[in-house]
Amino acid sequence: MGGFAPAASTFAGPVDSLFNLVLVITGVAFVLVEALLVYFLIRYRRKDGTKAAFFSGNRKLEMTWTIFTGLMLFGLAIYQYNTWVLTKVFLPNPSESLTVGVSANQFEWQATYPGTDGVLDTEDDLQAPINVLHFPVGKPVIIRLTSEDVIHSFFIPALRVKQDALPGRHINVWFEATQPGEYELACAELCGLGHYRMRGQVTLEQQAEFDAWLADVAARSQ
Ligand SMILES: [Cu+2]
């Protein structure tokens, strides 16, 4: 359902089925409410000789739909808990993952990769070209996200990853890519006049190709 972007990460499935579930629930509620509205508009329209009645509310009815909606939302909150934990709370073991620094600024993305020592924040670090991001498939990736100026949002639809980037904070985001290909990174937070052009090119590729690309970045920065 839903015309999604291609699914290219391990948790795309659970995220999409949650989306579909919420869409069905809200879709049914929408159709019911609108149909009732139209029915009442016609059924109780103004008629000559009929005086309008005044009601100050109906406590029983209001209690019913408040409690019913509340229970439904509470049920959804419990139902989505595992997916939330998987996508937002859980972090893969850093020693088995690739950690990449991503910094947002008006209006571009700068990715920093660990050099041969495999750790960030050393002299070995490699700066990728502006707005270019490469990740290997089949390996967990941890993005250490920050911003240099205002609030931006790191959004890669194909990976089902979206996270605000805040100045002065490092926020970890993780994913494991499954489908090689070219995808889009978009800023999903209105961050200034150039917001519309704040996009990055994401390449998901096999580990060997990724290693070759990183070696190329290293060679160019010498
Ligand atoms: Cu932005």
Side-chain angles (χ1 to χ4, degrees):
M1 217 198 282
F4 292 120
S9 73
T10 49
F11 51 58
V15 171
D16 289 359
S17 52
L18 264 183
F19 184 96
N20 283 333
L21 176 70
V22 173
L23 186 67
V24 167
I25 294 174
T26 52
V28 168
F30 173 76
V31 170
L32 276 180
V33 168
E34 295 303 304
L36 268 180
L37 176 66
V38 171
Y39 173 74
F40 284 162
L41 278 175
I42 297 167
R43 174 84 173 74
Y44 300 105
R45 68 187 185 280
R46 193 192 74 83
K47 284 189 202 102
D48 282 339
T50 311
K51 218 178 157 201
F54 174 76
F55 301 96
S56 63
N58 185 324
R59 176 177 277 234
K60 216 173 179 181
L61 208 58
E62 284 157 18
M63 289 292 274
T64 308
W65 72 52
T66 303
I67 291 174
F68 179 73
T69 316
L71 283 178
M72 199 119 127
L73 289 174
F74 188 66
L76 262 184
I78 292 174
Y79 182 79
Q80 62 83 53
Y81 182 75
N82 286 341
T83 308
W84 177 260
V85 170
L86 174 70
T87 55
K88 296 286 183 188
V89 182
F90 167 82
L91 254 200
N93 188 340
S95 66
E96 285 152 24
S97 317
L98 169 70
T99 302
V100 180
V102 171
S103 178
N105 67 72
Q106 291 169 317
F107 297 95
E108 51 196 21
W109 302 96
Q110 171 69 66
T112 303
Y113 290 80
T116 39
D117 60 358
V119 235
L120 276 179
D121 299 324
T122 60
E123 283 194 354
D124 239 17
D125 285 1
L126 298 168
Q127 301 246 304
I130 289 294
N131 291 330
V132 173
L133 300 96
H134 282 233
F135 303 113
V137 294
K139 183 179 191 176
V141 174
I142 300 173
I143 304 283
R144 206 185 59 184
L145 189 62
T146 192
S147 167
E148 286 164 32
D149 37 46
V150 299
I151 301 176
H152 300 273
S153 179
F154 181 82
F155 183 30
I156 305 179
L159 295 173
R160 308 296 188 263
V161 165
K162 190 192 233 175
Q163 174 62 55
D164 275 7
L166 307 184
R169 269 189 71 182
H170 284 111
I171 299 174
N172 288 323
V173 194
W174 90 278
F175 60 84
E176 183 176 329
T178 53
Q179 293 293 326
E182 299 282 330
Y183 303 96
E184 185 190 19
L185 158 64
C187 181
E189 186 78 59
L190 187 53
C191 56
L193 281 177
H195 166 67
Y196 71 94
R197 63 179 154 85
M198 185 164 171
R199 59 204 296 235
Q201 214 188 354
V202 178
T203 304
L204 305 180
E205 57 199 354
Q206 301 299 336
Q207 183 75 48
E209 294 166 78
F210 171 79
D211 292 340
W213 172 78
L214 199 59
D216 189 52
V217 172
R220 279 162 205 262
S221 65
Q222 306 258 294

